[in-house]
Amino acid sequence: MVSKKVDNKQLTGVSMSLMSRALFAILMTVLFLFIQGVANADEISSGSITGQLVDSQTGEPLIGATILIETTKMGAASDINGKFTISNVPAGTYDLLIRYIGYSAVTVQKAEVKPGLAVELDMALTPDAIQGQDVIVEARAVRNNDASLLKNRQKSQSISDAISAESISRTGSGDAADAIKKITGASVVGGKYIYIRGLGDRYSNAQLNGTDLPSADPDKKAFQMDLLPSDFLENIIVSKSFTPEKPGDFSGGSVNINTKSFPETFTLKVSSSTGYNSRGNLNDEFLTYNGGGSDWVGMDDGSRAIPDDLNSGDIPHISFAFNDPELANQLDKLTKSFNSNMAPVKKAKPLNQSYSIATGNKVDFLGKELGFLASLSYSNKYSLYENGEVGKYRLSGSTNQTYSLTNDYKLTDTKGSSEVLWGGLMTASCKLNNENELGFNFIHTQSGESATRYLTGQFFDGNLPQNAIYQTRVLQYTERSLNSTQLSGKHYLGLFSGMNVKWSGTYSANEQDEPDVRYFSNHYIVTESDTFYTIRPSMYQVPQRHFRNMQEDSYNFDTKASIPYIQWSGLSGKFDFGAYFSHKDRSFRQRVFEIQNQDVNAYNGDANEYFSDSNSGIIDSTGGFYTFGNYVVENSELRANYDGDLDVIAGFAMIDMPLMVDLRFIGGLRVEKTDMEVQTWDNSYDPGILDDMDLLPSAGLVYQLSENMNLRTSYGRTLARPTFRELAPFPSYDYANGNQVIGNPNLERTLIDNVDFRWEWFDRPGEIIAASVFGKQFRNPIERTIINDNGEIQYTNVDEARVYGVEFEMRKKLDVIHTMLSNFQLGANLSLIRSEVDIPEEEMNQISTYDENADDTRPLQGQSPYLLNIDLSYNNHDTRTVAGLSFNVFGERISEVSKGGTPDVYEQPQPSLNLLFSQNLIGGLGFKFSAKNIFDSSVKKVHHFKGNDFIKEEYKYGRSFSFGLSYNIS
């Protein structure tokens, strides 16, 4: 029995206090910016000219360039980011002159300034050694974020893909997880976890504004992307090749989520939408249970917390309490301290709803330029699937001819889920001068999901009578929260021909709380005369209540210095070096209580009656002996509680060197020192330990075939570490699916050698055609494995794995077909991937007993053989109409590897089709309509055996439709 106690009610109270303070701070910032913007709105009689200047070869910002409006005395100098702003420019049309030492001058003609608006001019200056003469261009306002992102991709040091805020809005994505699906080679599992190039979530890392994001799931490495509402996002950039300034723990992709920065002028946007799901909303059969009074804000109100009396001492054993009045009354009180709600109810749920507000401005503060952005979003949605199927199969037989898959059970599955997600973002930037800038970023997200599940059907494995019907129920509430605070700085030192330094320090607190997860199973037999209900402890678990809490704090500090230089032929390059430190500490706590009854036939089919006070605790005290109905027993284990620490210290150096006008070399080395330890509270178990020093080299070439066409090649070594949970040697049981997951303290980290080739053609702004080839060699990859016929799951290393693939991407405006199609754009990307894992000899011997022709390799767990995304969009700037149709699908992938002879479990493709239409009306008023999951494809996992599919799990979530209104002031 666990001797250390976790007071969930106290933890919940602390969380609610922190959340309420965060919400108050965000609301006050929103109000302040709104009032200030409204106060200044009437004073606007002029406009501004703003933009960013970068090196045409490296894409690096140019600091200290001069921008002058000809025939006036107005002008500005570019700052640490290469950005400039000329404010209070009277309305009119102007020519600008841009100069920077060592670069050809640029004259920008016909820049039209309108009252209250900012003209955006992003320019790439070319060194004199290449250009040789001044140039004249015509001003064009930057309206296309896709074009801007593609331009950055063209000059980037690594092979990367991205999606902009514009595309996120056009495809109707509600959160970061939904948005990432549109990126080449990306898919999302369970609505939360990223798979890049078909690789599992462990082979990707996630960053928020360049800083690591911690996971809120105790069983996963990956950050849960659905925690970030799309309203927060400026863009998402996925780097697919390694360069030494990035953390080395990825292979599929490094995902950097950039939040919106402050606008140049006052803006305010308010939006609201309502949605309908064909299965979840307005359905009288919606499966749910009575939760807490604050579920609507994604936080438990304490009603699910462990009763106070259970935190104050041990629970008396029934064998001592039956004849001891004091112990009997104590056991009676503790048993009745739980609420009696253990079974689902059916109740219709309203329509889905979401709201958001965002505002920002740039102001003068104590003579300094200060920019703000604050946003707040809230959503509440309901989902349901009915008539799903869950099965369990195992290999049986003695010869190749008699081997078959035996069905241990087949259950009908129903699940209802109510999920609240809200969050706030505050960002601020203060320009001390053109050479120094400080930034602040705070993000809070909060989600609460109330899930109710009911499964019923037959067992065929002999544990239950053949005519028995099994029933099991799960009532679960999962509360997740993330608080991330980041301070950053950019400084131009002027040393070594223009050295600049960037740094950031981040503190993140992540928590997942599962208070009072309830499991209740029984079976019944129907005869001609009656129905007999039974709860059999010898056949399945008695009713249980679990309390789990995971908290993870992380600290990161990252600094990078960059020294530009001019190489032998007058071309510009740069040398980067820096250091990185990351510390994570996690605590996981679990307490388990069983509701036992000495009369296995006491349950009569009425859950409310069975768990009522009248049938719990003391039900008779005749003759000085106490007879109990239901009584509580604690069944917690020390080993189910663990603490983990992870420290990563890294340093890197890299060079970006032009070998000739059209050829760049980017290469260097990163050194990462890993110290990781996971220790359960049961000291009889050895801790899981990682102590590694890894050298991660990188080398790449970028050959510019023409002004808008590149050929890239890259090599890099990266790694993948096991998670805290995978190293922690304790079992946790999934009562709904009948699986037990066991940690493995002997896991080793995976090393991966990555090779990439890409040809990319940026034909026109906003357009790209690209083709890539890649290969990866894994040493000691980690897989989720079914280790025996009992269905126990453990994470294990296999010796080697190989992944090869090709990717194709196209984004093209359709005016190339006909001018009438000038507002249409077609985008498509396809990934074709082959993966191989050498099956261990012991596993191969088992497989060959029923399949003599079986291959001695199999796909890597989690790896899809193909991924396809297609989108057709319509964007009319004149009528302000946007419409889009998007489709995505992935190929079947191994969900779980089986070592017990039973075939592996494969997740089947889930083709998805979504439609979006939006229209701006009078002024800033607009509306949006979307239809998602139009195909209503099944989520399906199967075993393949002798040409047949045996269903392990299958369900459908239904089609979703939404309608929203928004109002925008800018």
Side-chain angles (χ1 to χ4, degrees), residues 372-383:
F372 297 94
L373 176 73
S375 63
L376 185 67
S377 68
Y378 173 91
S379 67
N380 193 344
K381 63 181 180 180
Y382 306 92
S383 60

Side-chain angles (χ1 to χ4, degrees), residues 948-964:
N948 296 311
D949 288 345
F950 297 81
I951 296 175
K952 184 178 188 296
E953 185 176 11
E954 183 177 14
Y955 56 86
K956 291 184 176 183
Y957 265 123
R959 300 172 179 87
S960 297
F961 307 90
S962 70
F963 176 85

Side-chain angles (χ1 to χ4, degrees), residues 61-73:
L62 299 178
I63 305 167
T66 59
I67 304 94
L68 298 175
I69 301 178
E70 294 188 342
T71 71
T72 76
K73 295 182 179 180

Side-chain angles (χ1 to χ4, degrees), residues 163 171-191 193 195 827-831 864 866-872 884-893 907-915 931-938:
I163 185 170
T171 56
S173 302
D175 53 52
D178 204 14
I180 287 173
K181 294 178 185 177
K182 283 71 179 179
I183 293 177
T184 305
S187 62
V188 175
V189 176
Y193 304 109
Y195 280 39
N829 57 75
L830 171 67
S831 300
S864 294
Y866 67 85
L867 299 109
L868 174 65
N869 292 288
I870 302 174
D871 68 87
L872 176 65
L885 189 67
S886 62
F887 170 83
N888 67 74
V889 65
F890 62 84
E892 76 164 10
R893 55 196 175 204
E907 183 178 6
Q908 298 303 290
Q910 299 163 30
S912 175
L913 181 67
N914 301 322
L915 170 69
K932 296 184 179 181
N933 194 29
I934 295 173
F935 293 151
D936 194 14
S937 303
S938 295

